[in-house]
């Protein structure tokens, strides 16, 4: 059993390229800060359009959530289509829904086009109901997506048990547009594609200050500086180098995962059929899949301190065995990362000044969404009109007044929610 935190994806991604550190004074037409999917996709799409791009990453490529996530490619926004239209209005809402629905297409297309070896599989995504009371919600979700032309379906309890290999769920939403991948290999593949397209990528080069100059922007790093005409900040829950006040707009919560050694072939044949991945309907959801080598990977709500995380790892192992009692409990990996939640569960695209863009707040849906929003950032910097963008363009980040208070209440709230959900599940049985 893992005694120290060890990230499965980092252990199995192979060697990374040796990205140089930014030194001395350099110039670029556009600087991108953050080497996750948002920044990498922005850099790739900008470089493909002939822009001179330099990307700064504080650690290594995929250091943040993009190298730590569950690798589930999930279509759509966290909100259902009707809620998106209600919040953003019918015109923009419909554009946003179509955009988020197509986000997995972009991911799988980029993987094909740039020959990214990241174990990509488009075998669908399952959202199993943790309680019979969640089934009407899934039915409404399916009906709403069908109005937007997506072929989602509701699996019966028996079909769900057959596909997942556990009878813990009451039915499930099946979305054929989803799939899975190796998250860190995907991030590194985007980085290499951006480099081949002409972008310059720098590792261990945190952007420390973003200052306006007479003719653009100046970014200081510990060993150099970058002068540029425009800046993209793609640091999500991991920083706010432009000092734009992202902090009060998000609730950065820990999500943690544990994974076993490869499971025996007979067991693998009986669970998570056809490479399915699943995220259930609990408020603090549990998500799980097998990786291509047959390791069982499960994730859920974590905690910020090492002790709290250790407790969350143990709880996940217990949950895994409750779902799949036949699993071999050869737990080898345990790790976590930060998810950026926003008040309305929708991402924010912000342009505080001409030539400065930020995007953050994917609410746990960033594998596809962050990739797609990276391309939107590139579109905007290449002249896309505000009215043609698929998301509202904010002038400043939208604060979440309760976020600072919620941060303090998180440990209590998660304990309470876990108790409530245990109660709901027990009543359902
Ligand atoms: C445990 C976990 C599981 C998840 N599972 C899923 C899933 O299965 N499916 C899904 O769709 N989404 C999932 N997500 C969410 C998804 O991973 C994120 O939404 C997505 O990766 C965000 O990408 P990003 O590029 O915006 O941010 P990140 O990947 O976090 O990248 C931000 C980068 O900015 C860098 N940085 C910060 N400050 C600076 C600075 N000053 N200078 C330079 N660089 C800086 C950081 O080092 C980091 O690399 C999960 C997230 C976590 C944490």
């Amino acid at each position: 059993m893992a005694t120290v935190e060890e990230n499965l994806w980092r252990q199995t991604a192979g060697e990374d390229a040796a990205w140089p550190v930014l030194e001395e004074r350099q110039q670029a037409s556009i600087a991108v800060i953050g080497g996750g999917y948002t920044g990498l996709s922005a850099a790739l799409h900008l470089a493909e359009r002939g822009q001179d791009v330099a990307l700064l990453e504080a650690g290594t490529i995929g250091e943040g959530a993009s190298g730590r996530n569950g690798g589930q490619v999930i279509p759509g926004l966290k909100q259902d289509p009707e809620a998106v239209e209600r919040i953003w209005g019918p015109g923009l809402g419909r554009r946003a829904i179509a955009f988020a629905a197509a986000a997995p297409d972009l991911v799988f297309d980029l993987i094909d086009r740039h020959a990214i070896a990241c174990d990509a599989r488009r075998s669908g995504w399952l959202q199993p109901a943790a309680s019979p009371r969640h089934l009407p919600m899934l039915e409404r979700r399916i009906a709403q997506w069908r109005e937007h032309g997506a072929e989602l379906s509701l699996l019966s309890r028996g079909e769900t048990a057959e596909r997942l290999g556990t009878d813990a769920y009451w039915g499930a939403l099946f979305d054929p547009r989803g799939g899975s991948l190796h998250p860190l290999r995907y991030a590194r593949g985007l980085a290499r594609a951006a480099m081949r397209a002409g972008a310059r990528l720098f590792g261990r080069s945190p952007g420390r200050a973003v200052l306006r100059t007479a003719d653009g922007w100046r970014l200081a790093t510990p060993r150099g500086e970058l002068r540029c005409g425009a800046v993209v900040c793609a640091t999500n829950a991991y920083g706010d180098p432009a000092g734009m006040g992202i902090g009060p707009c998000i609730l950065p919560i820990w999500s943690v995962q544990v994974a076993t050694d490869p499971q025996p072939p007979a067991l693998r044949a009986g669970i998570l059929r056809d490479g399915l991945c699943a995220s259930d309907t609990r408020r603090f959801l549990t998500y799980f899949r097998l990786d291509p080598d047959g390791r069982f990977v499960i994730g859920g709500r974590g905690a910020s301190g090492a002790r709290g995380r250790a407790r969350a790892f143990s709880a996940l192992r217990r949950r895994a065995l409750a779902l799949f009692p036949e699993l071999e409990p050869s737990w080898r990996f345990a790790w976590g990362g930060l998810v950026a939640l926003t008040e309305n569960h929708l991402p924010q695209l912000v342009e505080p000044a001409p030539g400065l863009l930020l995007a953050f707040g994917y609410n746990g849906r960033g594998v596809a969404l962050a990739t797609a929003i990276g391309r939107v950032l590139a579109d905007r910097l290449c002249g896309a009109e505000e009215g043609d963008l698929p998301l509202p363009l904010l002038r400043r980040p939208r604060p979440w007044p309760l976020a600072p208070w919620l941060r303090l209440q998180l440990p209590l709230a998660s304990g309470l929610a876990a108790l409530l959900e245990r109660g709901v599940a027990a009543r359902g049985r």
Side-chain angles (χ1 to χ4, degrees):
M1 185 176 298
T3 49
V4 290
E5 295 190 20
E6 195 167 24
N7 177 338
L8 164 65
W9 312 124
R10 205 159 278 282
Q11 292 304 317
T12 53
E15 278 290 298
D16 192 12
W19 303 105
V21 172
L22 185 128
E23 294 188 325
E24 300 175 348
R25 181 181 287 190
Q26 307 223 12
Q27 302 259 350
S29 53
I30 300 174
V32 176
I33 310 180
Y37 304 140
T38 307
L40 294 166
S41 167
L44 168 62
H45 289 101
L46 285 163
E48 282 182 337
R49 290 169 210 179
Q51 298 287 345
D52 171 25
V53 185
L55 181 145
L56 302 182
E57 164 54 49
T60 60
I61 295 299
E63 181 86 23
S66 299
R68 299 161 183 264
N69 63 68
Q72 302 200 7
V73 184
I74 308 173
L77 296 150
K78 188 74 179 176
Q79 293 276 16
D80 286 336
E82 276 178 10
V84 175
E85 287 194 54
R86 197 172 56 244
I87 296 168
W88 283 345
L92 180 57
R94 290 190 84 82
R95 258 205 329 275
I97 294 160
F99 162 77
D105 294 342
L106 175 65
V107 170
F108 290 106
D109 178 55
L110 286 172
I111 290 168
D112 276 355
R113 213 150 32 88
H114 298 286
I116 300 177
C118 62
D119 306 322
R121 255 190 110 165
R122 201 163 192 179
S123 36
W125 176 70
L126 218 61
Q127 188 174 35
S131 150
R133 289 167 48 185
H134 298 170
L135 287 171
M137 171 186 75
L138 293 184
E139 281 166 3
R140 287 195 298 276
R141 183 163 295 155
I142 290 167
Q144 289 177 34
W145 271 115
R146 284 193 172 159
E147 279 185 25
H148 290 269
E151 290 301 314
L152 274 60
S153 51
L154 186 70
L155 305 185
S156 68
R157 191 170 188 193
E159 286 168 320
T160 305
E162 160 111 15
R163 296 237 197 149
L164 289 182
T166 171
D167 59 7
Y169 292 104
W170 297 85
L173 171 156
F174 176 67
D175 189 334
R177 302 169 297 176
S180 59
L181 46 70
H182 187 300
L184 184 55
R185 284 192 194 150
Y186 174 54
R188 289 181 181 173
L190 288 177
R192 280 190 291 272
M195 185 191 67
R196 284 195 299 270
R200 286 170 287 151
L201 278 68
F202 298 94
R204 291 168 289 122
S205 303
R208 289 231 169 113
V210 180
L211 298 174
R212 206 161 188 170
T213 61
D215 54 353
W217 302 87
R218 184 165 72 84
L219 275 67
T221 69
R223 286 165 60 178
E225 73 171 42
L226 185 61
R227 302 249 175 178
C228 55
V231 180
V232 169
C233 272
T235 49
N236 203 35
Y238 281 84
D240 184 14
M244 282 297 122
I246 295 177
C249 306
I250 60 168
L251 191 59
I253 61 156
W254 276 86
S255 182
V256 297
Q257 295 180 80
V258 294
T260 64
D261 279 332
Q263 292 289 322
L267 185 133
R268 277 145 66 171
I271 68 171
L272 293 153
R273 290 268 169 83
D274 310 317
L276 269 179
C277 55
S279 313
D280 73 19
T281 54
R282 282 161 206 275
R283 186 180 302 276
F284 294 133
L285 57 88
T286 303
Y287 50 97
F288 46 91
R289 54 180 281 213
L290 289 171
D291 83 350
D293 297 321
R295 298 179 185 91
F296 181 77
V297 188
I298 184 166
R301 186 57 198 287
S304 57
R307 271 226 211 116
R309 272 203 299 286
R311 275 198 299 273
F313 295 144
S314 300
L316 274 178
R317 293 179 191 120
R318 283 195 303 276
R319 173 113 191 93
L321 291 171
L323 288 171
F324 302 100
E326 65 280 29
L327 274 182
E328 274 202 1
S330 51
W331 301 108
R332 181 168 303 279
F333 304 96
W335 72 103
L338 288 171
V339 173
L341 302 187
T342 56
E343 186 179 23
N344 63 8
H345 302 301
L346 293 171
Q348 297 191 24
L349 181 64
V350 192
E351 192 177 57
L356 176 61
L357 278 171
L358 286 69
F360 61 90
Y362 306 107
N363 292 274
R365 292 281 169 105
V367 175
L369 260 187
T371 306
I373 287 181
R375 188 173 64 177
V376 172
L377 293 165
D379 291 344
R380 177 66 178 163
L381 286 172
C382 293
E385 294 293 331
E386 180 172 351
D388 293 333
L389 301 176
L391 301 170
L393 188 63
L394 307 174
R395 295 294 162 232
R396 59 178 63 93
R398 188 172 174 274
W400 182 354
L402 280 184
W405 181 80
L406 285 170
R407 274 177 212 210
L408 296 175
Q409 305 305 320
L410 269 176
L412 184 66
S414 53
L416 192 63
L419 274 178
L420 286 174
E421 274 171 355
R422 240 177 267 160
V424 168
R427 279 199 301 282
R429 286 203 173 92

